[in-house]
Amino acid sequence: MADVAGTPGGNLGGANVSDLLAPLASGEGVVFLILALGVVAMSVVCMTRRNPVSAVMSLVATFFGLAGLYATLSAHFLAVLQVLVYAGAIMVLFIFVVMIVNREESTLVSLRGIPTRLLGVFAGVYMIRVFAGIAIPAQAPGPLPALSDSFGTVASVGDMLFRQDLFPFEAISLLLLVAIVGGVVVSRSARKESDAVIAADKRIAISHLSSHDSPAELSEVEETSAAAGGHH
Amino acid sequence: MNASETLFNLRLIPLLPFLGAAVLILFGRRWKREAVLTVAAAAIGGSALVAFDAFFTRLPAVAEEGGLRDVVWTWMSTGNLSVDLAFRMDALSGLLCLIITFIGFLIHLYSAGYMEHDPDYPRFFAYLNLFCGSMLVLVLGDSMPVMFVGWEGVGLCSYLLIGFWYHETPNADAGKKAFITNRIGDFGFLIGIFLTFQATGTLRFSEITSFATAGSVLTAPAWLGMSNAFWIGTFLFIGAAGKSAQIPLYVWLPDAMAGPTPVSALIHAATMVTAGVYMVARMHAVYVLSPAALAIVALVGAATALFAAVIGFAQNDFKKVLAYSTVSQLGFMFAGVGTANFASGVFHLYTHAFFKAGLFLCAGSIMHAMSGSGDIRKMGGLRKLTPWTHGVFLVCWLAICGVPVFSGFFSKDAIVAGAFATGIFGDDLSWVGPTVGVLLLLAALGTAFYMSRLYFLVFSGPTRADAQTQHHIHESPPSMVGPLVVLAVGAGLGGLVGVPGGLFGHPEWNLLGHTLETAVGPELDVPHNTELLFMAVSTVLALIGIGLAYTFYGGGYRAPAQKFAAAFPGFVQLVRDKFRVDELYGAVIIRPLRKFALALFRVVDRVLIDQILVGGVAALVDVLGRVSRAFQAGDAQRYMAAFAIGAAALVFFATRPTVPSTLKVEVSGTTVSVDASRAGRASPRGLTYAFDFDDDGRPEVVGLKSDARYTYDQAGEHTIRVTVTDPRWHTQSKIKRKIDLSAAGERK
Amino acid sequence: MPTFYYLILSFVLFLIGTTGVLLRRNALVVLMGIELQLNAGNLAMLTYSRALGDEKGHVFAFLIIALAAAEAAVGLAILVGLFRNRQTINLDEANLMKR
């Protein structure tokens, strides 16, 4: 070993770069390359748009690209799920919220506390660099294990979910339930409800007033309505 | 359990007054005066009953074996030191218990009348009860630490009661003066305790007594050629001098008269101030081992007796005269115990408790009658106006003067005769006994003079009070007169328990001496002729003193008194100013201390503490706050960034190859062998080590081994750099060390 | 096709998501960044599942998708509540935690 002080930036762990890049020339490699570049490009676009609608749209594109990548990994069921849940459900949710709060930002990035935040980004870069050190193999890797025909199908994943991993499955369904209830509670307007209560009290007081015309009882009625208001 | 461990519920004796104090402090404010008095008197009365029961029915059977003992619990146990919270009653502590509970009870009753109009009635009785409890702990304590608890407790109560009317500054100041002066004494007492433990290894009185024999370590020279026993005795006496108001620490007692008169009677005459005498008697076994220490005790006591008596000549405040009289009488007691005549010292303590309590209560009664004024220049002729008080005062006056048959005669005589007859001082210090005796005789003459002066000026002749005060003069209520009469009986006849029966061929007549023998050793054997001689001499001296006082003051200020004052105006003024000892202390001790304290305040407090410590800490907190506020920005994104940074730091430290903080290098000649493995641990996970010995950037030795050898061409300074790489993570650590080959080689 | 390509892609996606989360002002975009991060995680899961021939990773990915759905629901609800109360979804104006 001539150079033990090698770093990931230079000679990747001692492996030959051309060896590592060779698989990209195959048919599979081209598909991966197209999908990967698409995903990266779309996600960068998503994170840099001022207009939220275009951000959401590029995110949808990212998810489609990811679904394709999942398929190349023989994860067919998850690829379908990715399209259904992310592109179908979650993104629709985002679109709705964009409709409610449709505001274009004047500035992309707030400068408040920017040194800390930038340092956080660099910390992320550092971690990726270290992890890449183990992800990238020292020499060209061998072939992947052969898979059964049912790998990644609905039947096989479902079998696993409902037999071995039933408890996490049920737990996550409970989490979804809690999230639904939480979403309703948080987004419900508290003021509207109290307005409704006050309005109902007023209606009751007015009906009382209309049935008693004598002014002597007026103050008493007001007290009653005040008490009713305080009660709610 | 051996015989000396005879159990009895001694703890009840101090516990009852403590309970009374607690109840009164908690609830007394809302109660009627009668209820407060009932609780307070019942607490001390119940304590008295238990004490009398223990002393008269239980103690005689076991007095020879060390008395009654009651262990409450083990207070502290550490190393060689084991202290029980335990009480012991032998003849000595039992006698003190009786005095404290009995006179304490009488004074509680008296206070009911005296404090009738005081708004702080419950507080007063709570303090009184607290005092009685503490005093009983002091007396009954089985070991020095327990005694010290009581010692501090009575000091606290004394402070609280002197400053009872704290709304007026002089009273509060007097309390502080008493407390601080006592602290000086307590310092000596504590040193004495430490020395005792160092020398004997125990703090229990009974064990100290049996340890203290002539051949023990106590008699061995310790410091400056003096024995352990001398230093223990001297330091303990400093404590005793503080508590019992001896030269040079007596200055607090006259000022302590600022407190209510029943307090003066109970604390500053009958009980607390005698604690020092009690302590010396308690430690008698150690004192007899050191004649030098005893000589100090005796000489200081005798000097105090005479000095305070002289000051008493010229005081014009009723209670001040009595206060100096107390200092003087305490000097008598110390002279008694200081001549190894312990029984007589305790005997005088006992008689003094009665007649001095009686005198103080008379003072209270008269001040009550005189609308609160204690100036004897404005009194006179009270014999007819307050007949009961006059009768009691008469008895107590004769007792303190040492007129035969009255109690003071027997006890004072026992001390004086003992001072001349004692053989404890040996040949070197043989002058001490007679010197003490002569001083005491002079002091007895002085006592007779100033007490008679007080008596004549207050009771005889026409009254010198102004018309308005005269109009109010009245005898005190029965609740005050009753205790007075009981005390008068004690002062008159109390001495009969200590009759020197040997003179009449009946040694068993001396009940007190006989009883105390088990606790403080046999009474000093005085030859009959000596005893009779000094009885005659002291009687004559007492009569001379009374006669002299009559010629000066009988029926008011007579011509001789005025002539004397005109002839020696400077001396009279000096005595009236108490020899200006307070001023001396002020100039020598207090003023320099104040200046020192002020300097400390300016440098240490203002600058060091306020500015550097307090201000510095504040500034530091301010800076830290400013810094950490940046993190607590309430900005979720910054929190996330901090989280990422933390995670990255964890990754950094977890993936770096571990290296030692310094490189291990062994040198032999020009060959070095380097070990870069972490101390005691095998190198983990196939790390790669690159050794660069000649600092040229190219490693000479590379491999998986963590150690390497290299031989240099020439000696001199070299730098070794080692780079450790983890091939899995592609992370590196570097370490370097400089070596000087020639020096290391020579050292080898 | 060697799996480390997928892993590198996953890292890059995660970094893009992280950068968005840390730097963007718009809470909506920050939520999208979180979705990106979760998807990067999913990609790594499925990659390792493929490399090891074990379907356990699919189960994890499934659960993560469900989790992401729940997170999006609650996050968007909070966002709507924030907008209703303060008429903004800028994160630098949502700093009541400071007080």
Side-chain angles (χ1 to χ4, degrees), chain A residues 161-162 165-177, chain C residues 63:
Chain A
L161 259 181
F162 294 122
D165 298 323
L166 187 62
F167 179 75
F169 178 77
E170 293 295 341
I172 209 80
S173 61
L174 189 66
L175 179 79
L176 274 175
L177 181 65
Chain C
L63 296 179

Side-chain angles (χ1 to χ4, degrees), chain B residues 583-599:
Chain B
E583 287 77 5
L584 179 74
Y585 285 179
V588 175
I589 299 170
I590 297 170
R591 196 118 54 82
L593 256 181
R594 286 183 85 106
K595 284 199 172 141
F596 183 59
L598 200 65

Side-chain angles (χ1 to χ4, degrees), chain B residues 7-19 47 50 54 68-73 85-89 133 136-137 140:
Chain B
L7 292 174
F8 184 75
N9 259 343
L10 289 177
R11 67 187 76 171
L12 277 180
I13 299 175
L15 188 63
L16 284 173
F18 279 141
L19 280 180
S47 172
V50 178
L68 302 160
R69 184 154 190 259
D70 182 16
V71 182
V72 183
W73 64 66
L85 179 62
F87 302 113
R88 174 181 295 276
M89 182 189 270
L136 289 165
V137 168
L140 286 172

